[in-house]
Amino acid sequence: MKKNVRNGIIAAVMMGLLALTGCGGQSQPPANSGADNGGNAGEEKVLKIGSAIEYAPFEFMDKKQNPTGFDIDLMNEIAKDLGYTAKFESSSFDGLVAAIGLGKYDAVISAMTITDDRAKSVLFSDPYFESAQIIAVKKGSAIKSEQDLIGKKVGVQQGTTGQFAVEDLGIDPRKFDTIGDAINDMMIGGSEAVVADTPTLYYFITQNPKMDIEIVPSAFEKEYFGIAFKLDNKELADQVNATLKKFMDNGKYNEIYKKWFNEDAPKF
């Protein structure tokens, strides 16, 4: 979603009217498309993407503080296929739905589970990732299933479906800005378990092999991630869906998936 033209007052006014026309219909172009930037030939067309860039391996900062991860790679390739450059802005996860509704971003990609409640506020793409919630505990814990969490202190990342899954068990979880914060709290005895997406917890463990953490299998339902758009931006959502399908069919999606998860992508 970002924001020069010096071709005279008439041209500027005409461009302004065209931009307003594009935003007023049933569907709308990206907020930072060529039209928004004046439409000059050769000018970079930008998609402003919101993401909580603190959720490895989906989105996180590399050693040079550049966004990286599965979601980042996928969105970069989608934008390129559509003729845009993706520009990422980090935000707290629990503020992303409101931000896309206010038009702050063209799209949000942030390992965001498609839910009925969120779908009231944003328009989701087709699913692009299958996941489920699992439990992390300190080695030797007596917690062996999600039912064992009842009556225990459980850490979650605020605003995630991990939080909602724990609350569905009748538990008021300890909420943190990041999964790393939740796990650190568990390791110092603040909580007895952490619930989060399967790939995220496994990735954290592989990156921190000296931490005495183990995974507990659970029966939480499968979840599907989607890219979020403003409710009236069906045009961009349809374009992204077409590219997602193309990537699923031509192997590009599997290539990105294998890079980050060291296995072929499942069919879903």
Side-chain angles (χ1 to χ4, degrees):
M1 309 184 228
K2 247 159 214 161
K3 296 169 190 257
N4 250 359
V5 173
R6 218 173 113 187
N7 295 335
I9 295 175
I10 294 176
V13 170
M14 290 302 294
M15 283 298 176
L17 288 174
L18 286 172
L20 287 173
T21 302
C23 293
Q26 188 67 14
S27 60
Q28 62 188 54
N32 293 291
S33 65
D36 191 56
N37 286 330
N40 290 342
E43 191 168 323
E44 182 182 43
K45 299 198 302 180
V46 170
L47 286 179
K48 187 174 179 183
I49 311 298
S51 185
I53 308 180
E54 53 195 9
Y55 203 68
F58 293 97
E59 44 269 322
F60 61 103
M61 294 295 186
D62 64 17
K63 293 179 180 179
K64 295 182 179 180
Q65 292 303 296
N66 294 316
T68 189
F70 174 81
D71 281 355
I72 304 299
D73 281 359
L74 180 62
M75 198 68 225
N76 274 327
E77 290 297 329
I78 289 172
K80 186 192 302 183
D81 188 71
L82 296 177
Y84 294 92
T85 298
K87 300 292 185 183
F88 296 91
E89 181 177 309
S90 189
S91 173
S92 64
F93 184 86
D94 60 343
L96 287 172
V97 168
I100 193 74
L102 292 171
K104 186 175 181 180
Y105 307 119
D106 294 310
V108 161
I109 188 167
S110 198
M112 183 177 286
T113 301
I114 299 169
T115 68
D116 291 341
D117 189 53
R118 287 174 179 158
K120 296 174 184 176
S121 303
V122 298
L123 176 63
F124 278 110
S125 70
D126 294 335
Y128 72 87
F129 196 93
E130 179 184 280
S131 185
Q133 299 299 311
I134 55 170
I135 306 163
V137 296
K138 292 201 292 190
K139 288 181 179 178
S141 170
I143 296 172
K144 303 300 180 186
S145 73
E146 70 275 8
Q147 293 303 314
D148 292 336
L149 296 173
I150 297 173
K152 304 292 195 303
K153 297 176 183 176
V154 183
V156 298
Q157 182 176 6
Q158 182 165 305
T160 64
T161 46
Q163 174 185 332
F164 307 149
V166 171
E167 290 174 341
D168 285 344
L169 293 171
I171 301 167
D172 183 15
R174 295 167 65 86
K175 306 176 187 71
F176 298 89
D177 289 335
T178 71
I179 287 299
D181 290 341
I183 291 177
N184 288 332
D185 176 73
M186 178 180 72
M187 298 308 294
I188 63 174
S191 56
E192 297 161 86
V194 170
V195 173
D197 290 309
T198 301
T200 300
L201 285 181
Y202 273 112
Y203 186 85
F204 186 94
I205 290 172
T206 60
Q207 296 299 305
N208 299 274
K210 294 183 179 180
M211 294 181 78
D212 289 331
I213 304 172
E214 59 185 6
I215 295 297
V216 174
S218 69
F220 292 118
E221 293 183 1
K222 289 182 179 179
E223 301 175 1
Y224 298 91
F225 299 166
I227 302 167
F229 309 90
K230 197 172 181 181
L231 281 172
D232 62 355
N233 203 354
K234 188 175 184 299
E235 180 180 347
L236 181 58
D238 287 346
Q239 292 171 348
V240 168
N241 281 335
T243 293
L244 270 175
K245 185 180 185 308
K246 179 167 73 173
F247 285 180
M248 296 282 188
D249 293 342
N250 67 13
K252 171 61 76 173
Y253 176 88
N254 193 63
E255 175 187 321
I256 299 170
Y257 189 99
K258 204 165 186 176
K259 170 184 174 181
W260 288 101
F261 303 106
N262 298 312
E263 61 184 14
D264 288 325
K267 302 296 182 184
F268 60 88

